[in-house]
Amino acid sequence: MKTNEKKNTSAKKKLIPAVAMLTTSAVMLSTATYAWFTLNREVEVKGLQMSATASNSLEISLGDLSTGEGAATITNPADNSATWSRVITVGEYYNSVGKLKPASSANGLNLFKIDDESNIYAGGTKVKDDATVVAVENKNTATLTPGKATDVQKLTQVDPDSNDKGYFIDVPMWIRTSAKEKTQVYCTVTITDGNSADAKVDGDELMKAVRVAIIPKAEGATATALNGSSSLTPGALDATVEDNENVNIFGLDSKTYDAGNKVLDGAADTYKAAAKSAPTIVTANGDADNAITAANTAVFTLSAASATDKTYGVEGFIVRVWLEGESQSCYDLTASQDWNINFNFSLDQRTGV
């Protein structure tokens, strides 16, 4: 009898930690679905800044801002528009942006998300193999609201309780040159932590999950109308690119959770089937751990300005921003960070800093 009692007591002692571990696991699973594709509910983008600088014979514009009766609107800039400048700040043309939720893309054109976010677990670092993957559509954008921001250096976040959230933002931009021959345009992208004055990257900041795609749309002698996040209509995500041009994706590193460096590429039935090889990303000086600038890269070719009149060579392009859900830096503990994105366009290839 005593032997049996000892055995029962021993079994109970072994069972207690097992039950505790099971309970802990259950709690972790029940609270781990707030990241990766759902991480945006904690993201603070109230300090989001986007600016661009053009050098040489280049001028850049964010479009003409109309602030008359009714809602403000953005239209393509006229040849004589005062918006053409060497330096632009997004806050001068937009005043707020919706929250960003992580998505995933292999080419910057087609974005994908998990249909049922409860299939994301382990603090946002894992997705169930049989989770359904669906394509991101235009209606899934985080809206950019036209109008001048109170602080032109920053876009304010919409009301934290607002349902205005999405998986990407598209910002229409135009660049032009007076050069009389076709010229290649290079771009350097710098991404910094909006909450820190320190120029270095320390640890796995969310800013390492930021992806910026430059999508060439149209060239000619005048600025062509483009749709941005403020005017996108429901439907398939706009994935068209100007003939003979390519999309460049910028980021501070390309490290993903998957050992094979994979992201989502295709609305396959399951997450496991949709995971494909990651795209070529213009990273920060060879993935240097503390770098904040993605190396200078040719992004498109500008047509020549007319030799007989005052027309320019103009390129209309979209800057698409999203958080890469497969990035190693996209998880719960990084959710409270924001970032600044700065572009430098030039006609010469420069070395990143």
Side-chain angles (χ1 to χ4, degrees), residues 143-324:
T143 305
L144 274 175
T145 306
K148 192 170 184 177
T150 304
D151 179 354
V152 297
Q153 296 301 320
K154 295 180 180 180
L155 293 175
T156 57
Q157 181 178 294
V158 295
D159 186 326
D161 296 326
S162 170
N163 290 322
D164 185 3
K165 51 192 173 185
Y167 296 88
F168 71 101
I169 56 173
D170 274 1
V171 184
M173 293 188 184
W174 294 264
I175 196 168
R176 72 182 184 182
T177 182
S178 56
K180 299 302 187 285
E181 66 280 336
K182 277 199 167 187
T183 53
Q184 214 167 29
V185 176
Y186 292 85
C187 183
T188 302
V189 177
T190 301
I191 304 172
T192 57
D193 187 345
N195 291 326
S196 174
D198 191 349
K200 294 191 301 181
V201 178
D202 299 313
D204 292 326
E205 284 89 346
L206 182 61
M207 55 194 269
K208 286 187 177 181
V210 174
R211 298 290 181 265
V212 180
I214 294 181
I215 307 174
K217 301 297 292 183
E219 66 175 339
T222 57
T224 303
L226 301 173
N227 284 329
S229 288
S230 60
S231 58
L232 290 175
T233 55
L237 191 63
D238 186 359
T240 58
V241 181
E242 180 190 337
D243 292 341
N244 303 317
E245 297 285 9
N246 299 305
V247 176
N248 283 275
I249 303 174
F250 295 82
L252 296 187
D253 72 34
S254 57
K255 299 171 185 175
T256 66
Y257 289 121
D258 186 275
N261 202 31
K262 293 181 179 179
V263 294
L264 297 186
D265 182 19
D269 290 336
T270 66
Y271 172 77
K272 185 176 181 180
K276 303 291 178 66
S277 296
T280 299
I281 296 176
V282 183
T283 54
N285 302 318
D287 274 2
D289 288 338
N290 64 348
I292 59 172
T293 301
N296 185 274
T297 299
V299 289
F300 45 72
T301 301
L302 266 175
S303 57
S306 172
T308 57
D309 54 37
K310 294 183 179 180
T311 59
Y312 294 84
V314 182
E315 179 77 39
F317 61 99
I318 293 290
V319 168
R320 177 167 292 166
V321 181
W322 75 97
L323 295 175
E324 177 52 61

Side-chain angles (χ1 to χ4, degrees), residues 67-79:
T67 56
E69 293 184 7
T73 59
I74 297 284
T75 57
N76 50 302
D79 289 348

Side-chain angles (χ1 to χ4, degrees), residues 60-125:
I60 194 166
S61 174
L62 279 166
D64 285 328
L65 174 63
S66 171
T67 56
E69 293 184 7
T73 59
I74 297 284
T75 57
N76 50 302
D79 289 348
N80 61 352
S81 172
T83 64
W84 291 106
S85 175
R86 292 289 181 89
V87 180
I88 56 173
T89 301
V90 173
E92 295 177 348
Y93 299 85
Y94 301 92
N95 57 39
S96 65
V97 60
K99 301 176 184 178
L100 273 180
K101 303 178 69 173
S104 189
S105 178
N107 58 14
L109 296 173
N110 307 109
L111 276 64
F112 299 92
K113 62 188 180 76
I114 301 301
D115 191 32
D116 182 356
E117 293 167 343
S118 66
N119 287 316
I120 304 163
Y121 64 101
T125 64

